[in-house]
Amino acid sequence: MQQSSVLSEVCEEDIQDSQQMIWKVIHLKGLVPSSYQFIQNGLVSTYNQSDKTDYAYEMACSNIRYGKGVTQEVGLDCLNFKARNVCVMTDSKLAKMDPVRVALESLEQHKVPYQLYDKVRVEPSDQSFKNAVQFALDGNFDVFLAIGGGSVMDTCKAANLYSSNPSAEFLDYVNAPIGRGRPVTHTVKPLIAVSTTAGTGSETTGTAVFDFLALRSKTGISSRALRPTLGILDPLHLRTVPERVTAYTGIDVLCHAIESFTALPYYERQPRPDNPIARPAYQGSNPISDVWSRHALTITSKFLKRAVYNADDFEARSEMLLASCFAGIGFGNAGVHLCHGMSYPISGLVKTFTSKDYDLDHPMVPHGLSVIITAPAVFTFTASACPERHLEAATCLGADVRNVKREDAGKFLADVLRKIMLDIEVPNGLKELGYTSTDIPELVKGTLPQHRVTKLSPRPASEEDFAAMFESSLTVY
């Protein structure tokens, strides 16, 4: 059979999307054509092997265990990993609370040796990462157990990564252009992540984010090798999470889901890797991530406000824990874009802002707050690239879009977000976080190196575009 006739037969029959096309072509006598057409999201596209853009995506996720009281199983999990010395990481506040107590009791019950590190910094920095790495190097651990929110889980990922390869320099794995962005080729130790908040989804992802003190901005490390071996979702841990922590971690779920759903499609991302190991963890929107992102948005729209204002609403807080995980699976593979890229300098350049319910000895803009504060401006800007996706996101959030014009998609979604932000009392823009127009050049400067996420915007953003979005975000309502 000639190549052209094979392709004609395949294309004319039952090809519905690019994945089916690639699957059939690869399996038809090993045929890999130089070019062919396929149907992607209802549009006919052409794939050429000479193209610089990618043609595939990979799905990676931690094993997830969900259940009321499931933290008590971690001792047995460590035994199953044949642990001889477990590194338990948490922060100083959580070290005195039930999630850590239950986990340590489980380790002791099953006679699993461990050492406790309770000095994780909320919103970690490169220095706090290095401190945790040194503890891990000194301890010679064979299993890691993180108990906490995103800060704890990300710190534990970094400690596992660098202690498993003591010869590595810190910037080796930090995302380019700030670091060298090298792929992780060595074997890391098993990591169990017990989530105590409903927001970051870090128990599902291979990303670790930190403040890079020299730049006064956030950056991160991204590799599938970093993702936890097992994520533990125990809704009992959410019963004591304060109101503002619930609000700002919950709003992070919202941004994770919308950003991943509206991200640049995977088949438009470039460069195409020469080796699959170089394919980034954040790959662009794709059909599998889309499923998780949509579902996370639907759940968040129903349960976020209830979870924030009713600590005893076990259903709402349990559902938000699942939404966080679902959004984590979505963005952990598709990626996020401008809201997160712009949030990093907002956090890093903080002056005096503090929030109720965050018992800290230093100023801090909570991560979810730093992300949502620019969201109305961001999605107003990006909507022209994929208005249907912005409208679908609004639909998932419960809005009626039947009479909304495509050209109004961004403004409409922005208004939907403003309503949610008002409902959970998000501060009115950057001014309430301590910023003025004079800070915008530094905020833009801190955003420009965030290529890991900003390059996934469906609409390319210039320095002037970032400045305009920050200006628009000085007040939100």
Side-chain angles (χ1 to χ4, degrees):
M1 183 179 291
Q2 297 296 314
Q3 173 175 313
S4 60
S5 62
V6 172
L7 292 178
S8 176
E9 177 184 341
V10 171
C11 289
E12 291 174 0
E13 292 297 327
D14 61 345
I15 302 306
Q16 298 299 316
D17 57 33
S18 60
Q19 289 71 45
Q20 290 174 321
M21 184 64 191
I22 293 168
W23 180 265
K24 290 203 173 196
V25 169
I26 287 174
H27 285 79
L28 283 171
K29 299 184 179 180
L31 176 63
V32 181
S34 59
S35 69
Y36 54 78
Q37 289 188 326
F38 61 87
I39 299 174
Q40 173 70 36
N41 295 334
L43 300 175
V44 177
S45 302
T46 300
Y47 162 67
N48 295 296
Q49 282 192 308
S50 60
D51 285 350
K52 295 179 180 180
T53 54
D54 210 338
Y55 66 97
Y57 60 93
E58 298 182 25
M59 294 302 298
C61 176
S62 308
N63 289 335
I64 298 297
R65 183 184 300 150
Y66 175 93
K68 183 178 176 181
V70 75
T71 304
Q72 64 191 348
E73 295 183 353
V74 296
L76 287 170
D77 289 319
C78 290
L79 281 183
N80 292 337
F81 287 133
K82 297 179 171 50
R84 296 184 301 277
N85 190 19
V86 177
C87 176
V88 182
M89 288 200 166
T90 191
D91 63 50
S92 58
K93 188 174 182 179
L94 274 168
K96 305 178 182 68
M97 299 178 71
D98 277 351
V100 173
R101 178 186 59 78
V102 172
L104 297 185
E105 286 178 354
S106 180
L107 293 173
E108 291 164 0
Q109 176 187 350
H110 298 288
K111 298 180 173 54
V112 178
Y114 69 88
Q115 295 182 50
L116 177 65
Y117 182 83
D118 62 0
K119 297 179 176 59
V120 169
R121 187 179 191 270
V122 177
E123 300 295 335
S125 66
D126 51 335
Q127 186 57 56
S128 72
F129 267 17
K130 291 173 183 177
N131 294 342
V133 170
Q134 189 59 55
F135 180 84
L137 286 167
D138 294 341
N140 191 29
F141 301 107
D142 54 2
V143 172
F144 287 79
L145 173 60
I147 309 166
S151 296
V152 172
M153 290 186 274
D154 288 4
T155 299
C156 200
K157 291 174 187 176
N160 187 7
L161 171 67
Y162 289 101
S163 65
S164 301
N165 183 18
S167 64
E169 296 180 2
F170 185 74
L171 289 178
D172 281 351
Y173 302 118
V174 174
N175 297 312
I178 295 172
R180 301 181 185 96
R182 292 177 178 168
V184 178
T185 56
H186 66 277
T187 301
V188 299
K189 305 297 196 301
L191 191 160
I192 302 170
V194 181
S195 180
T196 61
T197 62
T200 68
S202 188
E203 72 278 357
T204 73
T205 75
T207 299
V209 177
F210 63 92
D211 287 319
F212 195 67
L213 297 176
L215 293 180
R216 298 189 68 195
S217 183
K218 285 186 183 290
T219 185
I221 306 165
S222 293
S223 170
R224 294 178 187 85
L226 265 67
R227 71 185 189 276
T229 314
L230 173 64
I232 298 287
L233 300 179
D234 187 340
L236 290 179
H237 299 331
L238 301 187
R239 294 175 300 175
T240 57
V241 179
E243 175 195 290
R244 287 298 90 193
V245 178
T246 302
Y248 297 145
T249 55
I251 209 76
D252 195 24
V253 175
L254 189 70
C255 284
H256 284 156
I258 302 179
E259 287 177 74
S260 60
F261 188 66
T262 59
L264 186 79
Y266 75 94
Y267 51 84
E268 292 182 14
R269 181 185 49 76
Q270 57 180 314
R272 180 188 303 168
D274 295 328
N275 187 317
I277 197 172
R279 181 167 284 118
Y282 285 4
Q283 305 160 91
S285 60
N286 60 78
I288 301 178
S289 286
D290 288 349
V291 173
W292 296 101
S293 299
R294 287 190 188 98
H295 196 39
L297 285 175
T298 301
I299 294 174
T300 301
S301 70
K302 292 179 180 178
F303 294 105
L304 175 59
K305 187 175 180 179
R306 282 173 51 183
V308 169
Y309 293 115
N310 299 282
D312 58 350
D313 190 335
F314 190 71
E315 179 191 23
R317 292 204 164 189
S318 299
E319 289 293 330
M320 284 304 301
L321 183 61
L322 287 173
S324 173
C325 177
F326 298 157
I329 297 171
F331 91 84
N333 290 281
V336 288
H337 55 83
L338 298 187
C339 295
H340 273 74
M342 295 170 69
S343 80
Y344 296 153
I346 293 172
S347 295
L349 294 169
V350 62
K351 300 174 183 178
T352 60
F353 182 84
T354 58
S355 175
K356 184 184 76 170
D357 295 336
Y358 285 83
D359 184 18
L360 301 172
D361 60 0
H362 56 272
M364 185 194 75
V365 180
H367 172 66
L369 174 55
S370 71
V371 171
I372 194 63
I373 210 74
T374 63
V378 164
F379 295 118
T380 299
F381 171 79
T382 58
S384 61
C386 48
E388 293 83 2
R389 289 209 159 221
H390 287 66
L391 290 175
E392 187 172 353
T395 300
C396 291
L397 292 172
D400 183 353
V401 303
R402 286 175 295 180
N403 296 319
V404 181
K405 298 178 181 178
R406 294 174 75 257
E407 57 266 30
D408 295 330
K411 293 180 181 179
F412 185 82
L413 178 57
D415 286 341
V416 172
L417 292 176
R418 287 189 185 95
K419 173 64 167 59
I420 295 172
M421 293 165 72
L422 274 170
D423 282 347
I424 62 170
E425 300 178 87
V426 172
N428 186 16
L430 290 170
K431 284 186 177 180
E432 291 198 9
L433 305 187
Y435 293 103
T436 68
S437 291
T438 60
D439 297 307
I440 289 177
E442 283 300 305
L443 291 169
V444 172
K445 181 180 177 182
T447 302
L448 292 175
Q450 309 298 338
H451 294 179
R452 174 180 65 98
V453 291
T454 59
K455 295 298 184 183
L456 287 173
S457 172
R459 179 183 175 188
S462 67
E463 187 171 344
E464 292 74 21
D465 292 327
F466 285 125
M469 284 184 276
F470 278 121
E471 185 74 36
S472 179
S473 300
L474 287 171
T475 56
V476 175
Y477 310 121

